[in-house]
Every structure is written in C-alpha cells, then in structure tokens.
Amino acid sequence: MPWSREDLAARAAKELRDGFYVNLGIGIPTLVANYIAPGMKVVLQSENGMLGIGPFPFAGEEDPDLINAGKQTITELASSSYFSSADSFAMIRGGHIDMAILGAMEVAENGDLANWMVPGKMVKGMGGAMDLVAGVKRVIVVMEHTSKDGDPKFKVHCELPLTGANVVDMVITDLAVFSRPSRSESFKLIEIAPGVTAEQIRSKTPARYVG
Amino acid sequence: MSTSKSKVYPDAESALRGIVKDGMTLCCGGFGLCGVPEKLIGALHDSGVRNLTVVSNNAGTDGAGLGLLLVSRQIRKMISSYVGENKEFERQYLAGELELEFSPQGTMAERVRAGGAGIHAFFTKTGAGTVVAEGKETRVVNGETYILETGIVTDVALVKAWKGDTEGNLIYRKTARNFNPNMATAGRITVAEVEELVEPGALHPDSIHTPGIYVQRIINGSPYDKKIEKLTVRKRTESSHAMVS
C-alpha cells in the first residue's frame, strides 16, 4: 500500500536532527512540522523573514503582521527572531540552513529539480525556491511518484524548466525513498512502501538508480 | 526646527507631490499583503501616474496592494518573484499588456540591498543552470557556477513601518518587516508610512531598523485595516505544536 501524505511527512521528519534550522515548503512539507520527534529541537525558517515559526494561532488571536511564506497566519515562539528579506536569503544562500523539504513536479537522476513552471500555463513565479535549492545544505523532495496522469516524476532528465541543477539529495515518494550520500553520486533505492515491489518501482521510474 | 526641512508630510497625497511622474521606477515593500505601504499606493493610484516599473516581491491581490495600480493600468512592468494571487495580473500579462521580469526572491532582495549599498552587480549561484541565467554572464569559481545579477536603484521607494520618528528612523513589526528595510535603501527618494509617528527620543536608538538617512519623507498613515490573505487557525483542543492547516 502506498504511503499517505501523512506517512510522507512522517518519513521526511525522520531526516531532521536535533538543532537543525529547516525551511519547509508549501503542501506536504508543511505537515512535516507535526512529526518532529518529542524532545528534538528544530527551528523552522520562513523566508519572508522569521526564525522560530510557532503553531497556527487560535481563532481570534491571528495577527496580520505575522504570516509564513505561504501567507498563512502563524504565531511566534519565545525564541523567535525577525529580519529583512535580504537577511533571510543571506542565511539561505549562505548555507546556514541545514535542510529544505520541498515539493516537486520532476526530479532527474542527476539531482536536477523542476518545481516552479509549466510551459503554456500561467507562471506564478519561483518565489524563494531557486535560492533555497542553491544554498541550503541538504535538499529533500517529497512528491507523488507519478503525476495525476500516471506519468513518472523521477526521470532521466527534467523536461520542465529547472529550479536548480544537481540540487536534490533525497527523494521521498508515496512508493519509495531514494537517497545519495553526495551530489557526485547516484541515487540509491533505500526504502519501499509496504506491499509495493521493487519491480513496480522500477517500472514507474525512468531515472536510473542503484538497488 | 525649520518647517522647510521637515520630513513629515500631512498625508500620503502631499508626500508624493512633486516626486512621482509617468515612466518612473518604484521599489515597493511588502510580502503578499503584509507590510504593504497601502496608503502611499492609494495616493499613487489617485495621482494618475502611468507606465510605472515596479520592483516588488508580489503584485498584490485583485484590488488590494499593488493590485490597485494594476486595475487602473498604471503599471507597465513588474519585477517580482511570485505573482500567483492576482487574476487581473494574469489577464494583463497574457494579453501582452504588462511586462514581467521574474527574479528569484533572494536574488531580488539582494539586488535591492546591493543597489542601495552601491554594489552595482554581484555573482550568485541562485538560478545557475536555469532560465534565470539566460542572457547573463556566468563565471565558474572553485568549480561552482555563478551568474551575474545587477543591483537595483529606483526613482522612488515606498515602505511601510510600524513606528517612525520625525527624523525618518523606522521600526518594523514582526514579518511585516520583510522587504521594507531593503527597499528603503534603494530609492533615490524614499517615502515611509507608519502606524505611529513620534518625536525623536521616543524610539530607542538601539532599536532602529532603518536609520533616518534612508527616509526623505514620512507620514502617519493610521488608521490601518490590515488584511489577511490566508487566515489559518487551530482548534483549542489541538496540541501546542500542531501545525496542520
């Protein structure tokens, strides 16, 4: 049985380490915050200028001056700090953020990532995604293994315009987990969802991988 | 104190008088509808100036923030990182009525910061190997590819702060800070609107985010009716760490 959205978030959360500064993308990556292990300290960064994202506010306690990068209302923690957009991306681009967990449209076997633009459709913009993948130490992609039409998303080459070249370290899909120790090495199949076979994964994965 | 030297203007309309013109370039603070200089944008709308080139992370929503200037067709070109919340923007862009330059969010912030700091160009790895690098000079340093991006300075910058004093010193509040301090440095003339305008000495010098040297004009824009784009709350029963929407 393929992993659910919640399973994917929980699996991605296993990559977190105590003391990490982490940026979570919109969608399933946001759910990762719910699975941070008890006792583990993880500081969430919001690229609009905040470290230490707190939980969503209780109704009536929302503050229009306090939002995350997805424009949702949030709260602050005792340890939070605020800073400008230039400072925010200095810490992102400068390699000070330990991990980014993002969604994707396509990932290539060489670690290329496409997650911002579909030619022919109205382009909304890359926001901070290109800066995140260029600068964050470790980039984890969480995505469905295939598109809604059944097309594989982990491919030999990305066909969509890239967000970054050779920037992905781990791919977590609803069927499997692929990882590589460094960006000069190939991805390796390291986990398979329950009830899914290695053969099924191979048939839905044009990208070449080890294992 | 001589009145002629005062940075303080009675309202947004008077603060823009004599400094806005057709075809000018503009930096505008804000992220989504958070920390947007809405009173100054309203006055810019009323001024009727056209063919604006606007540097702003987003383009507002339909009829709010910079969306107001889109509806009135006053913007010719946007330099932004994300414009997904605005149907009128999409319509004008697809009809070829509006020019758009995408700049990655961090690159845009740095272009503005650099422009204000007298750095006219810089190499960054953001966007290397993507369409963002097309037509730009690239350089390989220690095996890593960097692309040349240019600093941004505009005729006018509009920013929103929480508190300001009559010298133009500004303090922002929470994530309403965002691009505002960076934009404030990149305008040849910077106009600030604040929720509370105080006398010098009322703000602690150690707490100032934007020193008054960057601000030429300032208004008290209150009262504010701040908008929330995506109200997200949790139930009282959920654990204190629950982040699920």
Side-chain angles (χ1 to χ4, degrees):
Chain A
M1 199 177 71
W3 283 312
S4 67
R5 284 166 57 89
E6 297 291 332
D7 293 335
L8 293 181
R11 177 60 189 84
K14 284 188 185 173
E15 298 302 311
L16 300 171
R17 298 291 176 267
D18 193 44
F20 263 21
Y21 291 88
V22 177
N23 185 292
L24 301 178
I26 294 165
I28 296 173
T30 304
L31 302 177
V32 172
N34 294 335
Y35 295 95
I36 299 170
M40 183 184 286
K41 189 186 138 202
V42 170
V43 180
L44 300 178
Q45 200 251 17
S46 193
E47 59 261 38
N48 53 323
M50 182 187 197
L51 273 171
I53 303 176
F56 293 125
F58 293 122
E61 294 178 6
E62 63 274 5
D63 182 341
D65 287 340
L66 185 42
I67 61 171
N68 63 17
K71 323 243 164 67
Q72 296 171 307
T73 44
I74 51 170
T75 58
E76 65 185 14
L77 306 170
S79 55
S80 298
S81 59
Y82 301 107
F83 34 83
S84 74
S85 297
D87 287 330
S88 178
F89 284 92
M91 62 182 75
I92 287 169
R93 201 189 309 104
H96 304 277
I97 307 283
D98 297 290
M99 182 175 286
I101 303 177
L102 311 164
M105 298 171 183
E106 292 178 340
V107 176
E109 63 185 29
N110 65 354
D112 288 358
L113 168 69
N115 75 349
W116 76 284
M117 178 183 183
V118 179
K121 286 196 181 175
M122 178 60 194
V123 181
K124 295 182 170 187
M126 70 290 281
M130 286 190 180
D131 307 282
L132 282 161
V133 300
V136 171
K137 286 180 197 160
R138 190 163 148 78
V139 174
I140 295 181
V141 163
V142 178
M143 66 178 190
E144 302 295 319
H145 203 90
T146 56
S147 72
K148 287 194 180 79
D149 300 331
D151 297 325
K153 295 172 71 173
F154 189 23
K155 310 166 85 158
V156 178
H157 301 289
C158 289
E159 273 144 58
L160 298 171
L162 296 188
T163 307
N166 189 15
V167 294
V168 178
D169 299 293
M170 179 179 252
V171 181
I172 302 173
T173 80
D174 50 333
L175 301 184
V177 180
F178 303 88
S179 184
R180 57 178 180 166
S182 81
R183 292 187 183 173
S184 57
E185 291 171 77
S186 299
F187 282 94
K188 190 177 176 190
L189 175 64
I190 59 167
E191 284 169 44
I192 302 178
V196 177
T197 67
E199 188 44 47
Q200 284 172 320
I201 289 166
R202 197 166 292 281
S203 72
K204 292 178 178 182
T205 313
R208 287 167 292 187
Y209 56 87
V210 180
Chain B
M1 183 170 42
S2 154
T3 335
S4 64
K5 284 185 179 174
S6 173
K7 294 182 177 181
V8 180
Y9 286 71
D11 52 35
E13 189 253 325
S14 60
L16 295 187
R17 199 175 296 150
I19 60 170
V20 297
K21 59 178 189 296
D22 288 354
M24 74 171 186
T25 55
L26 182 76
C27 269
C28 191
F31 184 93
L33 294 180
C34 183
V36 171
E38 56 181 78
K39 302 298 166 70
L40 291 166
I41 290 170
L44 200 58
H45 172 265
D46 295 344
S47 77
V49 292
R50 301 177 64 86
N51 290 320
L52 301 173
T53 294
V54 182
V55 183
S56 171
N57 189 55
N58 314 100
T61 60
D62 288 301
L66 289 171
L68 202 61
L69 302 180
L70 283 169
V71 172
S72 53
R73 314 291 290 275
Q74 288 168 275
I75 299 178
R76 182 186 72 79
K77 178 180 179 182
M78 288 289 311
I79 300 175
S80 303
S81 86
Y82 188 84
V83 294
E85 316 293 346
N86 195 314
K87 285 271 174 290
E88 177 61 16
F89 186 102
E90 182 171 344
R91 192 201 65 71
Q92 288 185 21
Y93 177 70
L94 294 177
E97 300 165 2
L98 181 69
E99 203 183 322
L100 169 64
E101 177 185 331
F102 275 128
S103 200
Q105 195 173 142
T107 295
M108 204 180 98
E110 187 63 13
R111 290 176 71 190
V112 170
R113 192 205 68 79
I119 307 289
H120 297 289
F122 57 92
F123 281 101
T124 178
K125 57 187 169 181
T126 298
T130 78
V131 293
V132 167
E134 285 174 13
K136 290 173 186 160
E137 188 182 335
T138 63
R139 193 170 293 184
V140 178
V141 183
N142 293 333
E144 183 116 43
T145 303
Y146 296 85
I147 64 179
L148 187 72
E149 295 278 3
T150 52
I152 291 175
V153 173
T154 56
D155 296 319
V156 171
L158 305 181
V159 300
K160 158 81 198 305
W162 179 36
K163 294 180 180 179
D165 68 18
T166 55
E167 297 297 308
N169 295 308
L170 304 178
I171 294 177
Y172 307 95
R173 184 171 177 274
K174 302 183 189 283
T175 56
R177 185 181 319 190
N178 57 62
F179 279 86
N180 282 297
N182 311 125
M183 297 299 189
T185 68
R188 292 188 190 92
I189 299 173
T190 292
V191 187
E193 59 176 86
V194 298
E195 295 174 45
E196 201 179 323
L197 183 60
V198 299
E199 290 300 316
L203 306 178
H204 196 283
D206 271 334
S207 302
I208 304 296
H209 297 135
T210 292
I213 190 170
Y214 294 113
V215 177
Q216 281 69 48
R217 301 184 176 195
I218 188 166
I219 63 160
N220 182 341
S222 60
Y224 283 90
D225 177 23
K226 297 177 191 172
K227 293 176 180 63
I228 291 175
E229 269 181 80
K230 292 179 185 167
L231 176 64
T232 311
V233 297
R234 72 188 141 124
K235 293 193 180 77
R236 293 263 169 201
T237 50
E238 285 176 34
S239 85
S240 63
H241 294 290
M243 307 282 291
V244 190
S245 53

